[in-house]
Amino acid sequence: MNNHNLGGRLWSVLILFGLVGQIAWAVENIYFNLFIYNTISKSTSSVTLMVQLSGIVATFTTLIAGILTDKVGNRKYFISIGYLLWGLLTLSFAFISKENTAEWFQLSDTTQIISLTITIVITLDCIMTAFGSTSNDAAFNAYVTDNTGEARSLAEGVLSAMPLLAMLIVAGGFGIIVNALGYPGLFVSVGTMMSVSGLIGIWLIKDNPNLKKQNTNFLSDISYGFKINVIRENRKLYLYFFAMGIYGIASQIYMPYLIIYMQEYLKFDVIQYSIVLAGVILGASLITVLLGKYFDGKNKDKLLIYFSILYIFGMLSLYTMSKTIDLNLKTQVMWFTGFTSLILITGFVQVLALLGAQIRDNTPTANTGKLQGIRMIFFVLIPMYVGPMIGEFINERTNLTYVDPVNGLTAHVPSPEIFLFGAIVCFFIFIPISLLFKGK
């Protein structure tokens, strides 16, 4: 492990690429779903398919790219060029619309236009995800492990706040951009920011001098994290992976549909859900900072139990509120949604931060790149495939529907039960946590 202080250049890299990467993922997780739902087709099944395919692509890309960064002995160009292309692909979404599809392919049938436009969006999203996973999930994550050394806890604390800050920027500020400039304005703004970051990285990023090329067998590297002896030698790491998978499935049951739920079930407009989300995320950020100072040096596994309970309670609270409050009392609905969502998001962020810190601490530094893909299997692939599938199943079975006035098709409305089932699944996180205590 490297033993050095974090200088200004390194902090600049961590903050810039940590924040911009999280903003990019937040835009994809929130506004790409809304983009399909609001401008192409009121179909939660399309959102589900996009999330699932994106998760598959992200995982396999990270598995391969993580190994490549080890073999080449370079993180800098994977990060920089990756962010540059990631941004250009995000920007290209500004040109996708049903009208453009009809013009490009000379179509007049509405059903064909909608189907082809959805196909274009999902395909481009998968390509974009491949560059995002290469640059952020594989290269940047390995870069953080390479360069933070004894200051890793400090760096992890700062990086764990990035998803919250990104969500605050995206939910609070980008809703205004969508309102003023539409989705094309959003995609151009975000894509440009990402590409400029990539260009800055070419000058700013410096790889750790200890990072060397590895002349190893590629197939052996891919299979490394699946070997029984590796799993046994890193028992704690794989239990944290298991816990992350359960947490991720629980989160992905409701997360892809969260703003659609606020828009269609709670009847919030863009400004109303932006205010609620901005307030919730700002509050959760303040709580995170305060708790970070108070819990410094405490037993992370015990904290994981406490915040898992809080997270489950938050999901149950949001479900109960949605079922009991008069939805016509808009001010009350906003306040109660904000309060219950604050509990949920605080638990969500704290569990994520604790699992992230434990996974990074228990990852063998000599094989950091090789294990990024394994991390993604539990962090992205399993949650983003299984979670939305459960969420979509619930949305279809609760049968909350309305007729889309644009195309006359019946659309499913996300129901409060997605939070109930998220809470039920999250209870299973106590299985790997209990095994962690048993092994001590």
Side-chain angles (χ1 to χ4, degrees):
M1 184 178 288
N2 305 314
N3 187 7
H4 62 276
N5 295 321
L6 304 184
R9 178 187 287 264
L10 182 52
W11 270 121
S12 298
V13 173
L14 296 181
I15 292 170
L16 175 63
F17 289 93
L19 180 58
V20 171
Q22 289 302 324
I23 288 174
W25 289 132
V27 167
E28 182 180 6
N29 293 334
I30 295 174
Y31 281 107
F32 277 45
N33 299 344
L34 278 174
F35 172 61
I36 281 187
Y37 193 86
N38 287 339
T39 70
I40 302 173
S41 174
K42 301 279 187 179
S43 168
T44 55
S45 61
S46 300
V47 172
T48 301
L49 179 61
M50 183 170 69
V51 172
Q52 289 176 326
L53 291 178
S54 178
I56 293 170
V57 170
T59 302
F60 285 100
T61 301
T62 306
L63 182 63
I64 295 169
I67 293 167
L68 284 176
T69 63
D70 278 350
K71 288 183 74 67
V72 175
N74 184 289
R75 319 283 194 206
K76 172 180 178 174
Y77 290 110
F78 279 92
I79 298 171
S80 302
I81 304 301
Y83 269 70
L84 173 63
L85 297 175
W86 191 11
L88 291 175
L89 285 161
T90 300
L91 190 150
S92 69
F93 277 85
F95 302 99
I96 299 176
S97 67
K98 288 184 291 187
E99 293 75 20
N100 285 344
T101 299
E103 184 179 341
W104 294 337
F105 296 94
Q106 297 297 301
L107 298 174
S108 58
D109 182 78
T110 302
T111 303
Q112 283 186 328
I113 293 169
I114 291 172
S115 297
L116 184 55
T117 307
I118 290 173
T119 301
I120 292 170
V121 170
I122 292 175
T123 302
L124 197 55
D125 176 68
C126 287
I127 298 170
M128 184 194 72
T129 297
F131 284 100
S133 295
T134 297
S135 56
N136 185 268
D137 294 321
F140 179 70
N141 265 300
Y143 175 88
V144 172
T145 304
D146 290 341
N147 292 278
T148 50
E150 295 298 329
R152 189 169 296 151
S153 295
L154 175 62
E156 190 68 39
V158 172
L159 290 173
S160 68
M162 293 302 175
L164 268 182
L165 183 55
M167 286 176 67
L168 177 61
I169 293 169
V170 171
F174 287 13
I176 298 171
I177 295 177
V178 172
N179 224 22
L181 303 175
Y183 289 99
L186 172 69
F187 297 139
V188 169
S189 301
V190 175
T192 301
M193 175 190 66
M194 294 160 66
S195 292
V196 169
S197 299
L199 291 173
I200 293 172
I202 295 174
W203 165 77
L204 187 64
I205 297 172
K206 284 190 176 181
D207 277 320
N208 191 299
N210 294 325
L211 181 64
K212 305 294 182 185
K213 291 183 179 180
Q214 294 184 11
N215 296 316
T216 53
N217 182 276
F218 191 77
L219 290 176
S220 177
D221 287 345
I222 288 179
S223 64
Y224 172 80
F226 299 97
K227 294 176 180 175
I228 298 300
N229 65 309
V230 173
I231 296 172
R232 285 174 179 165
E233 289 169 7
N234 299 278
R235 176 182 176 275
K236 288 184 66 176
L237 174 63
Y238 281 79
L239 284 174
Y240 288 122
F241 281 153
F242 183 23
M244 180 66 85
I246 294 168
Y247 158 85
I249 292 171
S251 302
Q252 289 297 324
I253 290 174
Y254 72 84
M255 191 63 78
Y257 315 106
L258 180 59
I259 294 187
I260 299 174
Y261 161 80
M262 289 184 173
Q263 176 182 283
E264 301 296 344
Y265 186 87
L266 299 180
K267 304 299 181 184
F268 288 171
D269 59 29
V270 174
I271 300 300
Q272 287 172 331
Y273 70 64
S274 294
I275 290 171
V276 170
L277 286 173
V280 166
I281 295 164
L282 185 59
S285 300
L286 293 173
I287 292 170
T288 298
V289 171
L290 293 173
L291 290 179
K293 292 180 179 180
Y294 180 75
F295 289 134
D296 187 38
K298 299 291 194 302
N299 186 308
K300 289 189 181 72
D301 290 335
K302 286 185 178 179
L303 292 178
L304 192 53
I305 293 175
Y306 301 148
F307 285 110
S308 295
I309 293 171
L310 182 70
Y311 186 38
I312 291 167
F313 179 71
M315 287 185 276
L316 292 174
S317 297
L318 196 52
Y319 166 73
T320 304
M321 180 280 298
S322 303
K323 285 294 191 179
T324 56
I325 197 169
D326 184 350
L327 298 179
N328 294 314
L329 303 175
K330 198 57 62 183
T331 303
Q332 286 189 22
V333 175
M334 287 179 69
W335 276 106
F336 277 104
T337 302
F339 178 71
T340 52
S341 297
L342 178 60
I343 299 170
L344 181 147
I345 294 297
T346 299
F348 171 84
V349 171
Q350 292 299 325
V351 173
L352 177 62
L354 287 164
L355 284 173
Q358 294 289 55
I359 286 171
R360 204 179 293 280
D361 285 346
N362 286 276
T363 299
T365 54
N367 297 292
T368 300
K370 297 174 188 174
L371 288 166
Q372 294 307 311
I374 305 299
R375 168 183 165 274
M376 288 291 286
I377 289 174
F378 293 93
F379 190 78
V380 173
L381 177 61
I382 295 172
M384 290 180 71
Y385 189 83
V386 177
M389 185 168 60
I390 297 172
E392 178 63 18
F393 177 83
I394 294 164
N395 292 334
E396 290 177 351
R397 292 303 179 273
T398 49
N399 206 29
L400 295 176
T401 61
Y402 71 101
V403 178
D404 181 4
V406 176
N407 53 38
L409 300 175
T410 300
H412 286 286
V413 176
S415 69
E417 279 74 15
I418 54 179
F419 302 106
L420 174 62
F421 278 81
I424 292 170
V425 170
C426 200
F427 269 108
F428 290 95
I429 199 172
F430 297 115
I431 295 174
I433 292 175
S434 65
L435 291 173
L436 283 162
F437 278 98
K438 187 177 179 181
K440 287 184 177 180

